[in-house]
Amino acid sequence: MRLLRLRLRNFRGVEEREVVFLRDGVTVVVGPNEIGKSSMAEALDLLFTAQDSSQKAEVKAVKPVDRDAGPEVEAEIETGDYAFTYRKRFVKSQETVLQITRPRPEHVTGRQAHERVEQILEQTMDIDLWRAVRIKQGEGLGQAVLGDAQSLGRALDRAAGTVHEGQLETTLFDRAKEEYEAYWTPGGKLKGDFPLRTSVTQHQAALDGIESQMRAVAADVDRDADLTAERTRLADAKGPETARVAELEARWRQIEELTRNVEKLEETEKAARVVAEQAAEASRGRAAAAADLAAAEAERVRLKAAVEAAAPALASARERSEHAATSLADARIARETAEAHARTTRDDLDFLRARQALAEHTRTRETLVAARAALAAAEAAARSNLVDPSAIEAIRLADREVQVARALLDAGRPSVVLTALRDVTVLVDGAPSAMRAGESAPRHTVTERLTVELAGTLRVEVDAGAGDVALAERGAEAERALRAACERAGVTDLAAAEAAATARREAMAARTEQKRRITELLGGDEPGRADQLEMRIALHTARIAAYLESRAGAAMPGDEEAAASEQAAADRAADEARTAESTLEREDRAAREQLAEREVAASEANVRLDLAETDVATRALALEERRAALPDGAIAESLGGAVAAHEAAKFAAAAARLALEGEGPETARALLDNARRVVDGMAENLRALEISQAEVRARLRDHGEDGLAERRDAEVTARDAASAELERWLARAEARRKLYEALKTARDAAHLAYVGPLRDKLTSLGKVVFGASLGLEVGEDLRVRSRTLDGRTVPYESLSIGAREQLGVLTRLACAMLVAEDGGVPVMLDDTLGFSDPRRLEAMGAVLSLAGASCQVIVLTCYPDRYRHVGGARTVLLS
Amino acid sequence: MSVRFLHSADWQLGMTRHFLTAEAQARFSQARIDAIRTLGRLAQDTAAAFLVVSGDVFETNQVSPQTVRRALEALASVPVPVFLLPGNHDPLDAGSIFRSPTFVSGRPPHVTVLADGTPHAVPGAPGVEVVGAPWFTKRPLSDLVADVCATLEPSKGLVRVLVAHGAAEISFDNPAVIRVEDAEAALADGRIAYLALGDRHSTTSVGSSGRIWYAGAPEPTDYDELDAGNALLIELHDDGRCEVTKHRTGTWRFARERFDLDGADGIDALGAWLDALAPKERTIVKLTLVGTVSLSANARLEALLEHQRDLFGAIERWQRHTELVVRPDDDDFADLSLSGFAAEALAALRAEASGTGADADAARDGLALLVRFATTAGAAS
């Protein structure tokens, strides 16, 4: 199809516009925004698709807002064998006019015209392709949907040498796919087989259940037979066993008889033993009694002898004790006397000491008084002496100042040194002074005037001069100060001051010394000490007085020493007396103890002797009585008889036991018990078997009527049928899969084959823009999958916007070029390549030009420069 | 005085055949019950004195109560005394059907179960005794016939009919086998007058005495049976003759046939053969199909069989012996005008279908589908 001319009137904002396009080649329509470029594409669409009477929104939308007029579109078109002009007015004064010029002139209007055009276009134009290769404004980035474009398909097939898919094939493929999808999921898994499989499984499960029930029934039948056999066998075995039990019981009864006999004999033996023991007991008793009596008599004799032996010792002990007591009393008296004397000597000594102490205290007191007086004097001296260290220091300083001042003054004063060159006598201030040759007199400082006279020869007068007034002042000041300081201190001059200071210091020292002495005397410097001293003196005085009174004229030792020695002697005597006394005490105690002991022992022995005599008497009497009742001989006799009887009984019993042992009673009992158990066990088993069999039969009865066999057969049939159905279903599924896969594989191959030409064309166009290393992968849906440039492959979606845009345009151009032979469709590009850089734009221009050689390309743009590189293009400027 | 009685066996009531649909099975089972009534009518028509059934009355001891009740109902309609022997399918063990409450409570008075070797007098037939050698377990350990014969004394004037079940052989491999010589000896010395056997489903005479017979099943049960579907009328004359007459009781039929399907006529021949069989609803057919057929021929065959299946009791295909190869030929595809990838796909499938194995089968089926889809699509367009 070729669009030769398009005219719009009253279409949106366009009052009137007509554009003529190049029939073959590129027409670039340039115009600013809102001038109605895109309206042209829209107008063409409406012209083809909408009836003039259409009330659709898109038709109404193109009515101009400012005028009450119907939008009008007129197009001059060549398509296939046809050439016609087609005009429509919508909305108001609706009109459709078709003027066909080729092959035969025809004039058609209204609905007929619309339908005729539809028919013509249907015949001659691949509408899908036309739509696919158009780029509407703002849609530049999508890939063209080329899959449905039949003409493209045919062209590609032709180029690839493949046969194009016909309607039959497409329908066949669709049907095969539909059938396939009824049985298979997209993931290639069977679907819908589950119910069939479940049915098979269920029937199988039911079958298994019934078969296991049938097996249980068969098992029960077998078990019943086994139980019957077992019961019979057991019953048969029971008989002999029962007989055996009877046999063993008889034997056992025999043994019991023997046992009873043995017991009886043992009883007899026991009785005989008792009797024999009793007789022995009696015999022993009698003998014991006699022996005891003899022993008692012996004891009595022994005790008597002991008592008599002890008597003398007792008497001597008595004597000793008396003697000891007497001695002790004497010693006690002596001690007391000695102690009294010692006390007296001690008291005397104390008295003398006290007197001594008193004298000392008194002396101390006197010394204290003297010291206190001295202290007072020293303090008085110190107080009155005003020359304390600070005062003396001041005086010293003042004196020094005076000295210094003088020195300075003197320094300023003339000084004269007299040196005798020969022995001479000079008069210095009238005073003669002999000097030897070479002797120098000390330097004279002239304070006022110095007169040195050599009698009769020379007089020298040296005047001090005024001297420094300040220095003189200073000297005078210093002397004043010195005088003042001395006055303050109460002294006349420095020497006096020194003396006073020394005196003061001595007084201070004396004071300190006295204080120390006082403290020493009192033994401390606490205030109460002096009082204590007084107290002590008083105390001692009183005590002495008291003692003297008490002694009242008795002779006293002269001094302490004598008193001490007297005391010592008295103490010694007292000690001796004590020692003697204690020795005698011990003796006294010992003697008394001894006496006591012996007296106790004697009394005890007497008591024992009495008891022994009583005992003997009692025993003798008792024995006599017993003998009277039963003589010793009789006892011996009965003992002999009892022992014999016992022996006999023992023998008999032993014999009987032996006989019993020989019968083997334990074994017999064990056998009998065992046999009984065996029979009981058998009876037990039989009962159990009966019960088991009853159970089995009950089960058979219960299940016998289940009709298991027929149910089983029914399930087998059902299962087999379900299996078969599943098989058939699976076969059907497989068949569909085979068919679909075969068709798909063949179709994909075919598609792949015919993708080739498009890919090759696109690549060759693309190389102009992207470079010689360009490689493109195109899918069978005719979309670009990836671009390879300089060895790097990038998927389409990851390319830059500019590249994608360029590829979009190139694809459409390639398609159009491939289809061009058939007449093709115009490529309409509305405002594309906005993202392409100048270099790419230039290349794209070249490609457009190339395309223009075989197709009609219409480009709408705002930018005049963008498409200036399209060689051979017609540019239409809209204003 | 002659004794006339009917001899039948192997009723195997409750038997199922796996190749029958539920509906066909019901008819099959009903036919076997109806056979009892047929025997009853036959007894009436031939003035038989009694009927003996030599074992396998029921298919198993676990048939459903419904089967038992129907059997008892049918037995009730038999006008003469009936003697039933437990066989190897329905032995008289702990689970025996003959002791089940349904049977015991529903047994008509004229029906006797031969539960041991004691001779039974026949009501209405003096001078006749029926003795049974019943099976007590599925695996007897001795010749039951010989065991019973050992307890019998020859009795002049008394006709004894021994009813037994099992294999009668002239060999000693199996201890339970009925020894024919011993049986013939018992016949010879008069202990028994006739041995009514069951187990073989075809009517068969055993030995040379002419007095030992298998009656056969009243309805056929399988393809291999030579002569099933009969009952025997026995007449024992005073003079020692034994007359045996075979009466047809069977209504069903088993037919097995092999067909060669190479060539177009093959299928036609099959169709004609099937058409000729009657009555179809009581006929069970097993087919062995051999040959190579095209897709369209196979489609025709399948259509034929599907059509006939609805008419017959059952049509089985003997898989083990079938050698039918479906090989698509050019004619199959001539009407399709496929081009491009579809044609390629068709070629690929044909190549695969020419092989063997599951894939080849699937490819063949795929081809059949393709033909069908393409034909429908072509017709539509």
Side-chain angles (χ1 to χ4, degrees), chain B residues 34-47:
Chain B
D34 287 343
I36 303 174
R37 293 200 173 84
T38 306
L39 288 168
R41 280 194 298 278
L42 186 61
Q44 181 125 39
D45 294 344
T46 59

Side-chain angles (χ1 to χ4, degrees), chain A residues 279-297 615 619-620 622-623 626-627 632 635:
Chain A
E281 191 61 33
S283 175
R284 268 197 305 279
R286 183 56 58 82
D292 286 347
L293 177 62
E297 178 58 31
D615 188 34
R619 284 183 195 275
L623 188 59
R626 285 225 206 98
R627 280 200 178 121
D632 290 358
I635 289 176

Side-chain angles (χ1 to χ4, degrees), chain A residues 390-447:
Chain A
S390 62
I392 185 69
E393 193 55 35
I395 292 173
R396 282 197 192 117
L397 277 171
D399 183 73
R400 203 162 25 246
E401 182 61 28
V402 167
Q403 297 300 328
V404 164
R406 278 201 190 128
L408 286 172
L409 216 46
D410 279 350
R413 287 206 170 103
S415 60
V416 173
V417 176
L418 299 172
T419 307
L421 296 173
R422 58 187 175 92
D423 291 346
V424 74
T425 304
V426 296
L427 286 162
V428 178
D429 280 334
S433 172
M435 293 177 71
R436 307 220 169 247
E439 190 185 332
S440 290
R443 184 181 291 271
H444 290 281
T445 307
V446 181
T447 49

Side-chain angles (χ1 to χ4, degrees), chain B residues 235-252:
Chain B
E235 190 154 5
L236 296 172
H237 296 274
D238 286 340
D239 54 13
R241 275 180 305 132
C242 173
E243 231 177 285
V244 176
T245 324
K246 189 166 73 173
H247 287 264
R248 182 112 195 115
T249 55
T251 55
W252 278 69

Side-chain angles (χ1 to χ4, degrees), chain A residues 509-802:
Chain A
R511 192 182 73 160
T512 307
E513 175 62 23
Q514 293 308 321
K515 272 190 179 167
R516 191 195 58 73
R517 279 196 73 200
I518 290 168
T519 304
E520 200 183 312
L521 284 170
L522 291 175
D525 59 3
E526 296 91 64
R529 286 228 173 221
D531 292 335
Q532 273 180 14
L533 180 64
E534 290 299 317
M535 241 168 35
R536 256 185 243 135
I537 292 172
L539 197 67
H540 281 309
T541 314
R543 215 190 265 167
I544 286 164
Y547 194 67
L548 279 171
E549 235 185 82
S550 72
R551 283 293 255 130
M556 292 216 302
D559 58 17
E560 265 188 58
E561 213 181 295
S565 70
E566 267 196 46
Q567 197 218 4
D571 278 341
R572 270 195 304 277
D575 277 339
E576 280 171 21
R578 271 195 293 276
T579 307
E581 187 195 6
S582 63
T583 308
L584 286 171
E585 264 179 9
R586 274 196 300 277
E587 169 60 21
D588 175 62
R589 247 195 323 277
R592 257 205 291 274
E593 272 176 26
Q594 190 188 55
L595 179 62
E597 262 179 48
R598 289 199 180 156
E599 281 180 339
V600 163
S603 101
E604 270 182 21
N606 277 327
V607 165
R608 273 202 296 278
L609 179 61
D610 286 342
L611 283 173
E613 281 175 347
T614 314
D615 188 34
V616 167
T618 314
R619 284 183 195 275
L621 191 62
L623 188 59
E624 251 179 67
E625 282 174 0
R626 285 225 206 98
R627 280 200 178 121
L630 187 65
D632 290 358
I635 289 176
E637 238 181 77
S638 60
L639 176 63
V643 167
H646 180 228
E647 284 299 308
K650 207 157 60 165
F651 185 76
R657 260 198 303 276
L658 208 59
L660 178 60
E661 285 296 311
E663 291 297 317
E666 291 88 7
T667 311
R669 182 80 216 179
L671 286 174
L672 173 62
D673 286 343
N674 191 48
R676 279 202 182 127
R677 272 197 298 274
V678 166
V679 168
D680 288 345
M682 283 178 165
E684 196 59 47
N685 282 352
L686 272 171
R687 262 197 304 282
L689 286 173
E690 270 170 42
I691 291 169
S692 282
Q693 192 161 46
E695 274 173 18
V696 167
R697 288 198 173 157
R699 267 204 304 275
L700 285 169
R701 239 195 336 276
D702 287 342
H703 293 295
E705 310 248 283
D706 287 349
L708 290 172
E710 282 155 285
R711 279 169 55 197
R712 193 243 346 249
D713 290 344
E715 284 298 335
V716 167
T717 309
R719 183 207 54 193
D720 289 346
S723 263
E725 200 187 322
L726 177 64
E727 290 300 319
R728 280 194 298 276
W729 189 91
L730 288 173
R732 283 202 300 278
E734 281 300 318
R736 275 148 186 79
R737 188 163 72 99
K738 273 279 178 233
L739 177 60
Y740 175 64
E741 281 180 356
L743 286 172
K744 189 166 187 306
T745 310
R747 193 196 207 202
D748 287 351
H751 275 185
L752 226 45
Y754 90 36
V755 163
L758 175 59
R759 184 190 54 228
D760 293 343
K761 190 75 171 177
L762 183 56
T763 310
S764 82
L765 291 181
K767 279 180 178 172
V768 176
V769 178
F770 297 108
S773 72
L774 176 72
L776 288 171
E777 191 197 325
V778 178
E780 54 177 87
D781 54 358
L782 304 180
R783 283 169 180 258
V784 176
R785 289 274 160 80
S786 72
R787 182 195 74 175
T788 307
L789 206 55
D790 297 325
R792 264 185 62 235
T793 305
V794 177
Y796 179 81
E797 297 75 26
S798 307
L799 291 171
S800 69
I801 292 183

